[in-house]
Amino acid sequence: MGPMAIRRIYETPEPVLRQISKPVETFDDALKTLVADMFETMYDAPGIGLAAVQVGEPIRLLVIDLQEPKDPEDPESPVIKVPKVFINPEVLWHSDYEVPYTEGCLSVPEQYAEVMRPDRIRARWQDVEGKTYEEEIDGLLAVCLQHEMDHLNGVLFIDHLSRLKRDMVLKKLAKWRKEHDKKAA
Ligand code: K1U
Ligand code: ZN
């Protein structure tokens, strides 16, 4: 593998985040390089997921690594790395039952809010070689996959909030940026 690179993560309200990502049709070395860069960018952030559009490439590709501890009881326990790639993902079925999860987003930095989503989905996707998979997914992986698939359709988690809550998050983000930029200066 060639040298990997950490890419810039676009943040709201940059218009690229609102684009509808295009299907991946060519499974070539450039795609593998982008996937490697996305993992490096996600681990560096750090995050548990990243959609290609967040690094300015509006194609239907996302990566996930939940980085869950080996022993959830022990805070010192090492995390298990399980990198997952989803290309051209589709939801074939979702449960009617929805569960809340306090979500974050690298494109809405340092802001968290509770979002309701179906607790189980049946998904189909391809890997970097173009091989197709179909599986039923639940738990945090289902939450994260739905959040990342939203990115492919130009949707951010804040779009699922009431206007009042969304405005509160955006106000806190503006305040955080002021403080953050002061420190960076
Ligand atoms: O920007 C993104 O799409 C990544 C986002 C994914 C996500 C988080 C929570 C619920 C749904 C989707 C993040 O990774 S935000 C950061 C985060 O949650 C986290 C970072 C380090 C360790 C553990 C969690
Ligand atoms: Zn996100």
Short mmCIF file of all heavy atoms in Angstrom, two decimals, residues 54 104-107 147-148 151 156-157, ligand 2:
data_model
loop_
_atom_site.label_atom_id
_atom_site.label_comp_id
_atom_site.label_asym_id
_atom_site.label_seq_id
_atom_site.Cartn_x
_atom_site.Cartn_y
_atom_site.Cartn_z
N GLN A 54 -17.93 13.64 3.26
CA GLN A 54 -17.37 14.46 4.35
C GLN A 54 -15.92 14.87 4.08
O GLN A 54 -15.43 15.81 4.68
CB GLN A 54 -17.45 13.71 5.69
CG GLN A 54 -18.87 13.52 6.20
CD GLN A 54 -18.90 12.78 7.51
OE1 GLN A 54 -18.84 11.56 7.53
NE2 GLN A 54 -18.96 13.50 8.61
N GLY A 104 -23.24 12.08 17.34
CA GLY A 104 -22.34 13.17 17.03
C GLY A 104 -22.01 13.11 15.56
O GLY A 104 -22.43 12.17 14.88
N CYS A 105 -21.27 14.08 15.06
CA CYS A 105 -20.89 14.08 13.64
C CYS A 105 -19.63 14.92 13.47
O CYS A 105 -19.56 16.03 13.99
CB CYS A 105 -22.02 14.66 12.79
SG CYS A 105 -21.66 14.66 11.03
N LEU A 106 -18.67 14.38 12.74
CA LEU A 106 -17.41 15.11 12.54
C LEU A 106 -17.63 16.37 11.71
O LEU A 106 -16.81 17.28 11.74
CB LEU A 106 -16.37 14.18 11.89
CG LEU A 106 -16.04 12.93 12.72
CD1 LEU A 106 -15.15 11.98 11.93
CD2 LEU A 106 -15.38 13.30 14.04
N SER A 107 -18.77 16.45 11.01
CA SER A 107 -19.12 17.64 10.22
C SER A 107 -19.94 18.65 11.02
O SER A 107 -20.29 19.72 10.50
CB SER A 107 -19.87 17.23 8.95
OG SER A 107 -19.02 16.43 8.14
N HIS A 147 -26.81 6.73 10.00
CA HIS A 147 -26.27 8.09 10.04
C HIS A 147 -25.38 8.35 8.82
O HIS A 147 -25.49 9.39 8.16
CB HIS A 147 -25.47 8.27 11.35
CG HIS A 147 -24.70 9.54 11.48
ND1 HIS A 147 -24.98 10.49 12.44
CD2 HIS A 147 -23.64 10.04 10.78
CE1 HIS A 147 -24.13 11.51 12.31
NE2 HIS A 147 -23.31 11.26 11.30
N GLU A 148 -24.49 7.38 8.50
CA GLU A 148 -23.57 7.56 7.36
C GLU A 148 -24.32 7.52 6.03
O GLU A 148 -23.98 8.24 5.09
CB GLU A 148 -22.47 6.48 7.39
CG GLU A 148 -21.59 6.48 8.63
CD GLU A 148 -21.02 7.83 8.99
OE1 GLU A 148 -20.78 8.65 8.10
OE2 GLU A 148 -20.81 8.07 10.19
N HIS A 151 -25.67 10.79 5.10
CA HIS A 151 -24.68 11.67 4.46
C HIS A 151 -24.71 11.52 2.94
O HIS A 151 -24.53 12.50 2.21
CB HIS A 151 -23.27 11.36 4.97
CG HIS A 151 -22.91 12.00 6.28
ND1 HIS A 151 -22.93 13.36 6.47
CD2 HIS A 151 -22.51 11.46 7.45
CE1 HIS A 151 -22.56 13.63 7.72
NE2 HIS A 151 -22.30 12.49 8.34
N LEU A 156 -27.92 15.56 7.39
CA LEU A 156 -27.13 15.57 8.63
C LEU A 156 -28.03 15.18 9.80
O LEU A 156 -29.25 15.36 9.73
CB LEU A 156 -26.54 16.96 8.87
CG LEU A 156 -25.58 17.49 7.80
CD1 LEU A 156 -25.19 18.93 8.10
CD2 LEU A 156 -24.34 16.61 7.69
N PHE A 157 -27.43 14.68 10.91
CA PHE A 157 -28.27 14.24 12.04
C PHE A 157 -29.11 15.38 12.60
O PHE A 157 -30.21 15.14 13.10
CB PHE A 157 -27.42 13.54 13.13
CG PHE A 157 -26.71 14.46 14.08
CD1 PHE A 157 -27.27 14.78 15.32
CD2 PHE A 157 -25.48 15.01 13.76
CE1 PHE A 157 -26.62 15.62 16.21
CE2 PHE A 157 -24.81 15.86 14.65
CZ PHE A 157 -25.38 16.16 15.86
ZN ZN B 2 -21.83 12.44 10.36
#
